Coordinates of all heavy atoms in Angstrom, one line a residue:
M3 N 2.2 4.8 1.1 CA 2.2 5.5 2.4 C 1.1 6.7 2.3 O 0.9 7.3 1.4 CB 3.5 6.2 2.6 CG 3.6 7.1 3.7 SD 5.4 7.7 4.0 CE 5.7 6.8 5.4
V32 N 13.4 0.3 -7.8 CA 13.2 1.6 -8.1 C 11.7 1.9 -8.4 O 11.0 2.7 -7.8 CB 13.9 2.2 -9.3 CG1 13.4 3.6 -9.8 CG2 15.4 2.3 -9.0
F97 N 18.2 11.6 4.1 CA 18.5 10.6 3.2 C 18.1 9.2 3.8 O 17.9 9.0 5.1 CB 20.1 10.6 3.0 CG 20.9 10.2 4.1 CD1 21.1 8.9 4.4 CD2 21.2 11.2 4.9 CE1 21.8 8.6 5.4 CE2 22.0 11.0 6.1 CZ 22.4 9.6 6.4
I132 N 17.4 -12.8 11.5 CA 18.3 -12.9 10.5 C 18.4 -14.5 10.0 O 19.4 -15.0 9.6 CB 19.7 -12.5 10.9 CG1 20.2 -13.3 12.3 CG2 19.8 -11.1 11.2 CD1 21.6 -12.9 12.6
M166 N 25.1 -3.8 11.9 CA 25.3 -4.6 10.7 C 24.3 -4.5 9.7 O 24.3 -5.1 8.4 CB 25.7 -6.0 10.9 CG 26.9 -6.3 12.0 SD 28.4 -5.7 11.2 CE 28.5 -4.1 12.2
S167 N 23.0 -3.9 9.9 CA 21.9 -4.1 9.0 C 22.1 -3.3 7.7 O 21.6 -3.9 6.7 CB 20.7 -3.5 9.6 OG 20.5 -2.1 9.6
N184 N 35.3 14.2 8.8 CA 36.2 13.0 9.2 C 36.3 11.9 8.3 O 36.8 10.9 8.5 CB 35.4 12.4 10.5 CG 35.3 13.3 11.6 OD1 36.1 13.7 12.3 ND2 34.0 14.0 11.8
G206 N 26.4 13.2 22.3 CA 25.1 13.3 22.7 C 23.9 12.8 21.6 O 22.8 12.8 21.7
R208 N 21.6 10.7 19.5 CA 20.7 9.6 19.8 C 20.1 9.2 18.4 O 19.7 10.0 17.6 CB 19.7 9.9 20.8 CG 20.3 10.2 22.1 CD 20.7 8.8 22.9 NE 21.4 9.1 24.2 CZ 22.6 9.2 24.3 NH1 23.5 9.2 23.2 NH2 23.2 9.4 25.4
G221 N 17.6 -11.6 -6.4 CA 18.3 -12.1 -7.6 C 19.8 -11.7 -7.4 O 20.2 -10.9 -6.4
S228 N 34.1 -13.0 4.2 CA 35.1 -12.7 5.4 C 35.7 -11.3 5.3 O 36.1 -10.7 6.3 CB 36.2 -13.6 5.3 OG 36.9 -13.8 4.1
G242 N 42.2 -3.4 16.6 CA 41.5 -4.1 15.5 C 42.2 -4.2 14.2 O 42.3 -5.3 13.5

Side-chain angles (χ1 to χ4, degrees):
M3 171 179 249
V32 167
F97 68 87
I132 52 173
M166 301 298 105
S167 79
N184 304 283
R208 292 289 176 267
S228 60

